[in-house]
Amino acid sequence: MGREAAAPRDLRARSVLAGSASAAAAEVEAALAPTDATAAAFFDVDNTLMQGASIYHLARGLHERDLFTTRQIVSAAWQQTWFRVAGSEDPDHVAQARASALAFIAGHRATELEQIVEDVFDEHMAHRIWPGTRALAQQHLDHGQRVWLVTAAPVEIARVVASRLGLTGALGTVAEQRDGVYTGRLVGEMLHGESKAEAVRELARTEGLDLARCSAYSDSANDLPMLSLVGQPCAINPDRRLRRHARAHGWLVRDYRTGRKLAGTGVKVALVGAAGGATYRVVRDLVRSNQGRDGS
């Protein structure tokens, strides 16, 4: 019984640590001084701002530079997809998701990864930005409010996306570094679920934000803790659970997908629908084009 009682407390502690680390690592563009200093907007990235999953696009870039094998991509893609779709807090699933995330960056220098992310944004991410979501972010900027990305992806990815889109800054999963090299360990947990809410709370405290005047946007019910913090939550391209919750609570819903049907069950639907068809196609195409290249 003692071990069972300790698990939720340990998870809570890791969530708080991850949120605090992410808020502390946030970088603000000095030139983007807000005129409405107490209001801000928080945007999830994957399938909210960008079609597909940003970490998969990074994996593709690493693969093209011979820094990642096809087998590693397929394994990591499955773990990340399951974590995102199921939103599981099972310790084994969380550990597997963390391990697959760290496999992308362990042993690489931070400066090396930053340059790769810059290139990968141009090659694989820029054309996948949803115009509708980008317009919403710009509206907040035009009203003098700060706009932050909040994502489970490594903060290095989030910073590049925020910078390229002219946003205020980014909150993301913080990976431990030693002498400028990633150790393969996280600071706390992945920035997921309650950890995102903790990061937003901490940022609001340090930046003097009134959360009742803030907005948040996400596609996933996993982000309900963050969405429920603010006065103006909005579901973007929502999964079925989030759509139901949003309608029940009178939240705004925006869907920028075309020809998409959110019906059916099973792994195929989870991969193509909830996790994003673009993610599935990236992995599929890599497998087809690289069979035999690296022993996969």
Side-chain angles (χ1 to χ4, degrees):
M1 182 173 180
R3 289 182 59 186
E4 293 177 359
R9 289 198 296 269
D10 183 62
L11 181 61
R12 170 66 176 171
R14 286 181 172 273
S15 294
V16 171
L17 179 58
S20 298
S22 183
E27 296 179 355
V28 183
E29 290 288 339
L32 300 177
T35 55
D36 187 352
T38 63
F42 302 96
F43 284 80
D44 173 51
V45 175
D46 297 348
N47 296 314
T48 301
L49 178 67
M50 178 189 303
Q51 183 180 7
S54 54
I55 199 166
Y56 298 159
H57 302 316
L58 174 60
R60 186 175 185 178
L62 291 172
H63 181 273
E64 291 168 351
R65 291 159 178 81
D66 295 320
L67 298 173
F68 218 65
T69 69
T70 302
R71 179 175 294 147
Q72 286 174 306
I73 290 177
V74 173
S75 175
W78 171 251
Q79 295 296 344
Q80 288 291 330
T81 299
W82 175 258
F83 187 80
R84 178 169 178 78
V85 173
S88 174
E89 298 297 344
D90 178 86
D92 289 337
H93 287 157
V94 172
Q96 290 170 349
R98 292 178 69 217
S100 64
L102 291 171
F104 288 97
I105 59 176
H108 292 289
R109 298 195 66 81
T111 53
E112 175 191 15
L113 184 67
E114 289 170 6
Q115 183 56 60
I116 290 174
V117 173
E118 291 275 356
D119 295 339
V120 169
F121 179 86
D122 294 332
E123 296 164 4
H124 300 301
M125 298 181 185
H127 65 282
R128 290 185 167 90
I129 300 296
W130 293 108
T133 309
R134 177 68 185 89
L136 287 172
Q138 188 60 48
Q139 287 178 15
H140 287 283
L141 293 173
D142 291 345
H143 284 87
Q145 298 176 3
R146 286 169 282 187
V147 176
W148 297 85
L149 300 183
V150 188
T151 177
V155 68
E156 290 80 3
I157 296 178
R159 284 175 181 161
V160 168
V161 176
S163 176
R164 291 300 186 90
L165 298 182
L167 308 181
T168 307
L171 303 169
T173 296
V174 178
E176 183 184 77
Q177 298 180 34
R178 182 173 297 168
D179 298 327
V181 177
Y182 294 107
T183 65
R185 293 187 292 271
L186 293 180
V187 179
E189 277 291 347
M190 295 174 64
L191 201 69
H192 166 84
E194 185 58 37
S195 295
K196 282 191 177 183
E198 290 292 344
V200 169
R201 286 191 193 97
E202 182 65 17
L203 187 69
R205 185 186 66 79
T206 59
E207 297 292 324
L209 300 174
D210 179 359
L211 287 173
R213 298 192 62 240
C214 291
S215 304
Y217 301 83
S218 177
D219 72 298
S220 174
N222 295 331
D223 286 338
L224 281 172
M226 176 180 75
L227 292 167
S228 300
L229 276 182
V230 301
Q232 290 81 43
C234 180
I236 301 286
N237 306 327
D239 60 27
R240 297 175 76 178
R241 181 181 162 207
L242 178 57
R243 186 183 292 273
R244 288 195 299 267
H245 187 96
R247 286 175 172 170
H249 291 79
W251 293 359
L252 290 175
V253 176
R254 298 284 184 266
D255 201 324
Y256 300 118
R257 298 165 294 187
T258 58
R260 295 283 295 277
K261 291 186 180 295
L262 300 179
T265 59
V267 173
K268 183 176 180 181
V269 171
L271 283 169
V272 180
T279 296
Y280 173 79
R281 290 193 296 272
V282 166
V283 175
R284 179 201 63 193
D285 293 344
L286 283 169
V287 172
R288 288 179 177 176
S289 64
N290 292 281
Q291 282 178 340
R293 173 183 171 183
D294 49 36
S296 299

